[in-house]
Amino acid sequence: DSGVTQTPKHLITATGQRVTLRCSPRSGDLSVYWYQQSLDQGLQFLIQYYNGEERAKGNILERFSAQQFPDLHSELNLSSLELGDSALYFCASSATDSVALNTEAFFGQGTRLTVV
Amino acid sequence: GNSVTQMEGPVTLSEEAFLTINCTYTATGYPSLFWYVQYPGEGLQLLLKATKADDKGSNKGFEATYRKETTSFHLEKGSVQVSDSAVYFCALSDQFGSSNTGKLIFGQGTTLQVKP
């Protein structure tokens, strides 16, 4: 158990809908990262929050948004869903804003989103 | 930009065989390098890492050496077990200037299947 909790584990929804994925980081970790894992794109970085502030942005679509709350949990909002958004969405957390030397990123088990 | 290339799988080996999974990277500066493992139905777990040239990361019998001259970080294990069956991801830490960030750039993943 990595200590990173993601809910829900599975989500099935229709095209055009909006969903919210939730992530609780490990206790004490200030950074939260979101990644998308799909068959054609592999593992892609979406966005990072550090202590409530957006720190880095990857190839995140404008239809997607995220935030980190004062209790450090994070939500990833996906709207106007398309079939191609079907993927496994991972959340990770780390103690600091970088993953070098003695800081490690811990991953949750992911939320599998299926858009039908 | 920075990138990681892994050998394509699947790799199928018999128990106790020698394992090599090739990984090469493109990066400016001196990123940290990582191997993550994903067991079926689970999130990613850090297997090992190296933070500077000629460092060797090791864990659970797996090893990888940070080779700057060949921009490689190949994963090796002398004797694989059935329980090693998983997907293995090579990754590097993205950088802003000369500092490592929290963002990880992943290779496509290599599926390893070990048969008894």
Side-chain angles (χ1 to χ4, degrees):
Chain A
D1 182 5
S2 67
V4 178
T5 304
Q6 289 188 246
T7 56
K9 285 191 168 37
H10 302 276
L11 200 47
I12 302 175
T13 190
T15 54
Q17 295 299 304
R18 172 190 169 96
V19 296
T20 297
L21 312 183
R22 182 188 169 98
C23 170
S24 294
R26 287 192 333 146
S27 177
D29 282 358
L30 297 179
S31 269
V32 169
Y33 313 83
W34 287 99
Y35 288 84
Q36 180 193 57
Q37 185 179 32
S38 61
L39 283 174
D40 54 343
Q41 296 288 326
L43 259 169
Q44 299 284 319
F45 169 78
L46 295 178
I47 198 163
Q48 176 195 1
Y49 277 81
Y50 177 72
N51 204 20
E53 301 288 327
E54 182 183 303
R55 181 56 64 101
K57 216 167 186 175
N59 296 326
I60 187 167
L61 299 172
E62 284 193 15
R63 301 182 286 108
F64 295 2
S65 65
Q67 55 184 324
Q68 186 178 28
F69 295 85
D71 67 353
L72 301 177
H73 90 272
S74 177
E75 293 181 355
L76 179 67
N77 299 295
L78 315 176
S79 62
S80 303
L81 285 167
E82 302 174 0
L83 296 178
D85 297 327
S86 295
L88 194 50
Y89 291 84
F90 284 111
C91 170
S93 73
S94 67
T96 70
D97 61 348
S98 85
V99 285
L101 295 176
N102 296 319
T103 302
E104 178 180 340
F106 293 86
F107 282 75
Q109 292 193 317
T111 293
R112 182 167 295 284
L113 173 66
T114 303
V115 182
V116 296
Chain B
N2 295 348
S3 65
V4 175
T5 302
Q6 284 180 242
M7 62 186 285
E8 287 193 24
V11 174
T12 303
L13 296 173
S14 297
E15 208 165 21
E16 299 184 2
F18 186 86
L19 169 71
T20 300
I21 300 178
N22 290 336
C23 171
T24 57
Y25 67 90
T26 301
T28 54
Y30 303 93
S32 293
L33 301 175
F34 308 82
W35 276 100
Y36 278 83
V37 59
Q38 183 179 26
Y39 298 102
E42 297 185 15
L44 283 77
Q45 301 173 26
L46 179 64
L47 182 58
L48 54 84
K49 74 177 185 183
T51 58
K52 61 183 188 296
D54 299 326
D55 263 5
K56 178 186 282 189
S58 60
N59 186 25
K60 300 181 182 178
F62 291 90
E63 293 183 340
T65 301
Y66 190 140
R67 301 279 189 209
K68 193 167 186 332
E69 64 276 12
T70 54
T71 62
S72 65
F73 193 54
H74 305 320
L75 182 68
E76 296 182 337
K77 187 175 185 183
S79 176
V80 293
Q81 306 299 313
V82 172
S83 58
D84 294 326
S85 298
V87 183
Y88 292 81
F89 291 91
C90 185
L92 61 78
S93 57
D94 203 15
Q95 293 177 296
F96 181 76
S98 59
S99 301
N100 286 298
T101 71
K103 173 183 172 182
L104 293 168
I105 295 172
F106 288 91
Q108 286 292 99
T110 302
T111 299
L112 170 66
Q113 184 178 21
V114 181
K115 296 187 173 180

